[in-house]
Amino acid sequence: MQPGSGALHGGCGALPAVPGAVAVQSDCGLRGRCLYSKPSALTCVVQALRSMLYKFKSRATADVIMLEANGRQLLQIMGKSPDPHGIVTVAQIPAAIAALEAAIAADEKRDPAAAGANGRGAEEEERDAERANTVRLHQRAAPLIDMLRRSAAEEADVTW
């Protein structure tokens, strides 16, 4: 993605280039098979967003939708390939939960300031304030871990 390129969905150019703006990928991947002969700006954005999300599904719970980078990170932690489609079988769920929980514990050990400590300077408190505004691994993984636990209880696979 190039800043300010304005290229959307096959280069339809429906949205003008804006300096400093980030445009979506210029190819929707359908390569001439697109259902829309002249896609609108909304169609372009929807097609681009679909390629930038992971949608985890299970018969036991509602869907969990994550941005591509976050979903890819969690899949790699679970030992799964970040392909567009995949499955965590009922037999693999306990290992996937254990891997996610181990990664969360390691992440929290790496940053002990997230737990909080007293007697610090102003600079350290400022860094803590910045950390408070970031989304931690345990927060990103919680919906997926919940889905995995409920799916294991109901013996349902998780797909994406």
Side-chain angles (χ1 to χ4, degrees), residues 37-89:
S37 59
K38 292 185 179 181
S40 67
L42 178 60
T43 302
C44 297
V45 172
V46 169
Q47 288 294 333
L49 287 176
R50 283 185 183 159
S51 67
M52 297 168 54
L53 297 174
Y54 277 103
K55 187 175 187 178
F56 296 93
K57 297 180 177 190
S58 172
R59 289 188 315 247
T61 65
D63 295 349
V64 173
I65 300 173
M66 292 188 179
L67 292 174
E68 181 183 12
N70 303 327
R72 186 177 348 105
Q73 177 190 18
L74 295 179
L75 287 171
Q76 289 171 340
I77 289 170
M78 292 188 298
K80 292 295 189 175
S81 175
D83 294 333
H85 302 286
I87 187 169
V88 179
T89 63

Side-chain angles (χ1 to χ4, degrees), residues 5-6 11 22 25 27 30 43 56 63-64 92 95 99 110 117 121 136 142 147 155:
S5 69
V22 176
Q25 189 176 6
D27 183 7
L30 297 177
T43 302
F56 296 93
D63 295 349
V64 173
Q92 297 169 335
R110 234 180 288 124
R136 307 284 306 187
M147 173 183 262
E155 297 183 2

Side-chain angles (χ1 to χ4, degrees), residues 83-119:
D83 294 333
H85 302 286
I87 187 169
V88 179
T89 63
V90 175
Q92 297 169 335
I93 289 175
I97 292 171
L100 288 169
E101 289 175 341
I104 290 168
D107 182 55
E108 289 175 354
K109 278 185 181 178
R110 234 180 288 124
D111 191 8
N118 295 331

